[in-house]
Amino acid sequence: GESVGLHLPTLSVQEGDNSIINCAYSNSASDYFIWYKQESGKGPQFIIDIRSNMDKRQGQRVTVLLNKTVKHLSLQIAATQPGDSAVYFCADLTGNQFYFGTGTSLTVIP
Amino acid sequence: GAVVSQHPSRVICKSGTSVKIECRSLDFQATTMFWYRQFPKQSLMLMATSNEGSKATYEQGVEKDKFLINHASLTLSTLTVTSAHPEDSSFYICSAPLQGATGELFFGEGSRLTVL
């Protein structure tokens, strides 16, 4: 991902529903991707990662999907909970550096 | 799991002073660390890559004389904001990859700098 300094897009979901957060990346040579969660005033926390030789990876309540054809990454959160409210970033490894996408602010409505 | 510690978490300083932020990898060695800057409601912007034993690599548009980076050991990188001004007020975050430069990336908790 490449940050362009834009304000964050927002996503609101009802508690218990599934959330899908999307991310586009630009470098077709990127071979490693990570999703991070950032709560207000804190540093990013690792959620899940995926390498380019995979198109899907599952964790606890989270699934990451990678579509290399269209350079698109998504994070699916099952049964979204209020504690999932945060900003979510994707990051891709380009060379030896990680670059972050714009991020999405997720709000869970109780 | 791996932990990256950042200090201080908050700092307020007067315009013209210099501020040092430390980033430590607590249970692993990090030959590479990354420094990011984040404005409110925006994404992380990579500022520079800190390399142990050599000069840091700065991203385009980042003044190396303004943001001094020193990676003195395998567990410590420091970012010094020299002659800070109000426009330098921001959230600064460091990170370190667990295995070389391409491993899973762990983040510090960030440092909120406010320049009066």
Side-chain angles (χ1 to χ4, degrees):
Chain A
E2 292 185 9
S3 170
V4 295
L6 298 175
H7 285 270
L8 298 173
T10 58
L11 174 67
S12 295
V13 298
Q14 206 71 36
E15 181 179 358
D17 287 352
N18 297 334
S19 302
I20 299 176
I21 300 171
N22 297 303
C23 179
Y25 63 96
S26 57
N27 191 338
S28 57
S30 297
D31 60 4
Y32 181 52
F33 307 85
I34 303 178
W35 277 100
Y36 288 93
K37 173 185 180 182
Q38 186 179 24
E39 297 175 352
S40 181
K42 296 184 178 180
Q45 292 178 293
F46 173 92
I47 301 174
I48 191 168
D49 61 355
I50 189 168
R51 295 205 177 268
S52 60
N53 60 352
M54 304 171 69
D55 52 21
K56 180 179 180 179
R57 190 162 187 224
Q58 288 185 294
Q60 188 177 14
R61 280 203 308 120
V62 295
T63 301
V64 55
L65 299 177
L66 174 62
N67 186 329
K68 294 181 287 293
T69 303
V70 296
K71 291 184 282 189
H72 182 268
L73 198 66
S74 69
L75 176 71
Q76 300 178 0
I77 305 174
T80 314
Q81 302 169 359
D84 295 327
S85 293
V87 176
Y88 291 82
F89 295 99
C90 68
D92 70 274
L93 182 64
T94 301
N96 290 329
Q97 295 171 339
F98 282 92
Y99 291 93
F100 286 79
T102 309
T104 297
S105 178
L106 174 66
T107 301
V108 181
I109 304 166
Chain B
V3 176
V4 174
S5 173
Q6 199 170 330
H7 177 80
S9 58
R10 292 180 181 273
V11 56
I12 301 172
C13 69
K14 292 182 178 180
S15 185
T17 60
S18 294
V19 175
K20 180 185 285 187
I21 302 170
E22 294 185 347
C23 180
R24 294 180 185 273
S25 56
L26 295 186
D27 51 1
F28 66 101
Q29 293 182 334
T31 56
T32 301
M33 290 185 177
F34 302 103
W35 286 96
Y36 295 85
R37 182 174 183 176
Q38 187 179 35
F39 292 104
K41 303 293 186 184
Q42 293 189 17
S43 185
L44 286 76
M45 300 287 290
L46 179 65
M47 297 175 65
T49 302
S50 173
N51 304 298
E52 189 270 335
S54 64
K55 291 182 179 180
T57 304
Y58 290 82
E59 294 298 296
Q60 189 173 7
V62 178
E63 300 175 58
K64 61 181 180 181
D65 295 329
K66 173 74 173 178
F67 299 99
L68 298 179
I69 291 173
N70 184 20
H71 198 140
S73 75
L74 288 171
T75 59
L76 173 65
S77 175
T78 60
L79 168 69
T80 301
V81 183
T82 62
S83 186
H85 291 281
E87 58 266 29
D88 299 323
S89 297
S90 191
F91 194 53
Y92 293 89
I93 304 172
C94 71
S95 68
L98 184 58
Q99 294 172 342
T102 59
E104 183 178 323
L105 200 61
F106 291 89
F107 285 84
E109 282 297 299
S111 298
R112 171 75 60 192
L113 170 64
T114 302
V115 185
L116 302 177

